[in-house]
Amino acid sequence: MTSIRAYVRGAVAAAVLFSASTAGAVGVSLDLQKFERSDLVSAQGAMRNFVQGHSISNLHYENFESNNAWNGSFGTTNPKNTGVGNFKAYGATGSGHSVVGDGASLAVRNDAAMPWGRYHANTPNQSIVGGNWLDSNDNQGIKWRIKDKGEFNAISFFVVDAADVGGKFSIKVGDKKFSNLAGNTRLSNGNIHYVTIMLDEAVDDLTIKMGHNRNNDGFGIDGVMVAKVAPVPLPPAAALLFTGVAALAGIRYRRKSAKA
């Protein structure tokens, strides 16, 4: 297993505020888990762990299977009215070898054997996400607006093949930008990240921008979830066990302090 878990958390992330249509200023945190292409099963496991660890309501999900993948002549571009909102390209237009169409739009694709490292995130378990994915089409980035989906406080998705040409990958949530998430190292072709964004208050309108500081460093997204979540409460026995462990730790600390 080659997974590497990386987090963007802590005091800085917890103190971040952004403007939201329903909540004024809302705190946001971003969790990023990185895996190599060969460890896709673990990446999918990260999504299962998130789902199983929360009580979920108002769930909206999108794997772009209802869209037409590029077939060499046409396909869905800049998809609107998806299960999780509207998507469009932003920034410099794509002109690399992986571009389809005029390069000015995002493209839904399903050619998982493409040599540039993007692919649908379902292999080997098709029960998790489907065969299509939304591709940046070598544009600088993806702009995504979530609206008319009710209130939500959690967003998660897979990002595939970020920063493998040397671009610096960032995600902007509302007014807060999480910069250079992949670090200063050129990542391997086909790398996959599982991204979780948590808000400390529910909102009903949010814009997310993700991309590189340059074009022609393409990436894809898949398995997108928007929901209202709460932590799964501990069962009574587990809660008592946790309380007991905490109490024992307190007793040991007091004894140690008394001896000192």
Side-chain angles (χ1 to χ4, degrees), residues 120-258:
H120 56 86
N122 71 328
T123 306
N125 189 344
Q126 294 189 9
S127 67
I128 297 178
V129 291
N132 291 355
W133 78 89
L134 180 61
D135 197 89
S136 70
N137 205 21
D138 272 358
N139 286 282
Q140 187 171 346
I142 295 173
K143 184 176 182 180
W144 168 25
R145 186 175 185 185
I146 310 167
K147 188 180 179 183
D148 300 327
K149 301 299 178 184
E151 290 194 338
F152 57 91
N153 64 352
I155 305 104
S156 74
F157 50 94
F158 293 110
V159 176
V160 179
D161 201 41
D164 71 324
V165 179
K168 298 184 184 301
F169 186 77
S170 301
I171 298 176
K172 186 177 182 181
V173 183
D175 293 335
K176 170 58 185 177
K177 186 176 183 180
F178 296 89
S179 299
N180 200 16
L181 294 174
N184 294 314
T185 302
R186 180 173 174 174
L187 301 183
S188 60
N189 189 43
N191 67 83
I192 183 167
H193 291 78
Y194 180 59
V195 180
T196 305
I197 298 168
M198 299 293 292
L199 313 177
D200 65 9
E201 294 180 28
V203 301
D204 62 8
D205 188 355
L206 180 64
T207 296
I208 296 173
K209 294 177 71 176
M210 66 189 89
H212 297 95
N213 62 338
R214 49 163 290 179
N215 64 339
N216 297 333
D217 195 349
F219 65 98
I221 65 171
D222 201 359
V224 184
M225 184 180 74
V226 173
K228 192 170 185 179
V229 305
V232 173
L234 289 171
L240 287 173
L241 177 61
F242 179 80
T243 302
V245 171
L248 286 173
I251 292 171
R252 290 174 180 171
Y253 176 78
R254 287 194 294 273
R255 285 178 178 174
K256 184 177 180 180
S257 298

Side-chain angles (χ1 to χ4, degrees), residues 51-72:
V51 171
Q52 294 170 0
H54 293 83
S55 175
I56 296 178
S57 61
N58 190 33
L59 173 64
H60 299 272
Y61 184 77
E62 183 61 63
N63 59 9
F64 305 102
E65 287 303 296
S66 63
N67 300 117
N68 295 317
W70 180 260
N71 66 2

